[in-house]
Amino acid sequence: MSFVEYGEYIQEGDIAIVFLGRESMFPVKAQHGTQTQTKYGVIRHSSDLIGKRFGSKVNCSKGGWVYVLHPTPELWTQNLPHRTQILYSTDISMITMMLELKPGSVVCESGTGSGSLSHAIIRTIAPTGHLYTVEFHEQRAEKAAEEFLEHKVAHLATVKNQDVCKEGFGVVGVADAVFLDIPSPWEAIGHAKAALKEEGGRMCSFSPCIEQVQRTCLAMDELGFKEISTLEVLLRVYDVRSVSLQLPDFGMETQVEGDPKETGSGQQATAICKSGVTPKDMAGHTGYLTFATKSLL
């Protein structure tokens, strides 16, 4: 099992996503002799997981059942252990597109955090690209390196424990793209420029506050970056459901048989139809994404 290569069968040591429902799932590491408790009963790894196909339906001890899914960056984002605040798929999809990432791209990232964006970048740039990710916090850097090894993507990522604002990314002139998610990104713009290839490249900075964006844009402009733009991505999910709509009354004196205008109670007739309904609540502001291009001049 690898996060960038699909495996058909679950093997010992593999990560699998136990899917109980759309809003309920969690990761497990398949190990002989281990059991996992769920609300539907016990999952015995030796008989219920190891050797089974990813996507299989597994019966639990209480009569219920779950699905065991192959891990993907999207599923990992929803289920990873949070060591920091993370980026979610809405922002991640915009970042990977606007940075023009593709297989073979070399990317520099800071900070690594919980590894949500890191896994998405690795999947995008595989099999020949590389991610250089910098994390200031020593324990978080060590944990990220362990996860990359466990998920069989360590050959595609290099984790460094250092202060990117003072020491940079540890590479010069090799990156196609740079991503910053740190408290003071304007202090690392110079190091980002140095890490990008001489022929140019793209960079992105994620910041929750508009004051951070202002200082970052000023630093980008001073260092010659072009095409500087800031955007915010807000996701609105529509729920398709059956709704009751009143039929219009055009005041016609005649009535077509089989098409009643009024119900027996004298009220206007209604029709049931499918419609997209907006949610009462939706996720609000997460952060601002500032993009820029390294100038060739």
Side-chain angles (χ1 to χ4, degrees):
M1 182 281 303
S2 168
F3 271 60
V4 296
E5 296 177 359
Y6 184 81
E8 188 173 0
Y9 294 95
I10 303 174
Q11 301 176 1
E12 184 171 14
D14 283 353
I15 302 296
I17 305 298
V18 177
F19 181 89
L20 291 82
R22 190 175 67 175
E23 303 296 332
S24 180
M25 49 185 153
F26 59 88
V28 296
K29 184 176 182 178
Q31 295 177 310
H32 278 294
T34 302
Q35 297 181 350
T36 298
Q37 294 285 346
T38 75
K39 63 182 180 180
Y40 301 125
V42 174
I43 300 174
R44 296 175 176 84
H45 292 206
S46 298
S47 59
D48 296 332
L49 294 184
I50 298 175
K52 301 290 187 181
R53 291 178 183 268
F54 280 107
S56 296
K57 182 178 179 180
V58 174
N59 294 316
C60 301
S61 61
K62 293 182 180 179
W65 49 267
V66 299
Y67 286 107
V68 285
L69 307 180
H70 194 287
T72 65
E74 291 79 12
L75 289 175
W76 187 245
T77 291
Q78 297 179 57
N79 295 280
L80 58 76
H82 285 233
R83 299 182 289 273
T84 60
Q85 291 289 328
I86 69 169
L87 289 173
Y88 289 92
S89 297
T90 305
D91 288 318
I92 290 174
S93 60
M94 181 63 70
I95 292 167
T96 55
M97 183 189 73
M98 294 292 286
L99 290 183
E100 302 172 4
L101 302 185
K102 59 186 181 297
S105 295
V106 177
V107 183
C108 291
E109 174 199 25
S110 183
T112 312
S114 300
S116 175
L117 176 63
S118 303
H119 281 81
I121 290 176
I122 290 171
R123 196 263 307 274
T124 304
I125 65 177
T128 56
H130 201 84
L131 171 67
Y132 295 91
T133 182
V134 177
E135 173 58 51
F136 177 76
H137 192 273
E138 183 178 359
Q139 285 72 32
R140 288 201 292 264
E142 292 175 352
K143 185 60 179 176
E146 291 175 6
E147 286 181 349
F148 293 155
L149 185 63
E150 186 176 53
H151 299 163
K152 297 180 176 62
V153 295
H155 61 291
L156 297 170
T158 299
V159 183
K160 295 179 180 291
N161 173 221
Q162 60 192 43
D163 185 350
V164 70
C165 296
K166 296 179 180 179
E167 304 172 66
F169 293 95
V171 294
V172 176
V174 301
D176 298 292
V178 173
F179 176 79
L180 298 174
D181 182 5
I182 55 178
S184 52
W186 56 89
E187 296 180 359
I189 301 299
H191 294 297
K193 183 177 181 180
L196 288 167
K197 292 180 177 178
E198 289 297 326
E199 56 267 32
R202 295 278 287 167
M203 76 163 296
C204 173
S205 174
F206 176 88
S207 298
C209 301
I210 195 64
E211 291 81 7
Q212 293 171 300
V213 173
Q214 292 172 333
R215 297 188 65 174
T216 301
C217 289
L218 287 173
M220 288 177 173
D221 184 59
E222 290 174 359
L223 289 173
F225 280 87
K226 304 299 182 183
E227 299 178 328
I228 302 172
S229 63
T230 299
L231 55 88
E232 179 183 22
V233 185
L234 298 176
L235 178 67
R236 174 178 287 179
V237 179
Y238 283 78
D239 184 20
V240 178
R241 63 177 66 175
S242 297
V243 297
S244 177
L245 297 178
Q246 289 187 342
L247 295 175
D249 183 359
F250 295 107
M252 298 175 62
E253 296 181 357
T254 61
Q255 181 175 335
V256 178
E257 185 177 356
D259 184 22
K261 290 184 180 180
E262 296 184 353
T263 63
S265 61
Q267 296 179 348
Q268 190 171 354
T270 60
I272 304 298
C273 62
K274 295 289 187 181
S275 178
V277 180
T278 58
K280 294 181 179 179
D281 299 310
M282 62 175 284
H285 171 76
T286 56
Y288 300 102
L289 296 171
T290 300
F291 296 94
T293 302
K294 180 180 179 179
S295 175
L296 298 179
L297 301 179

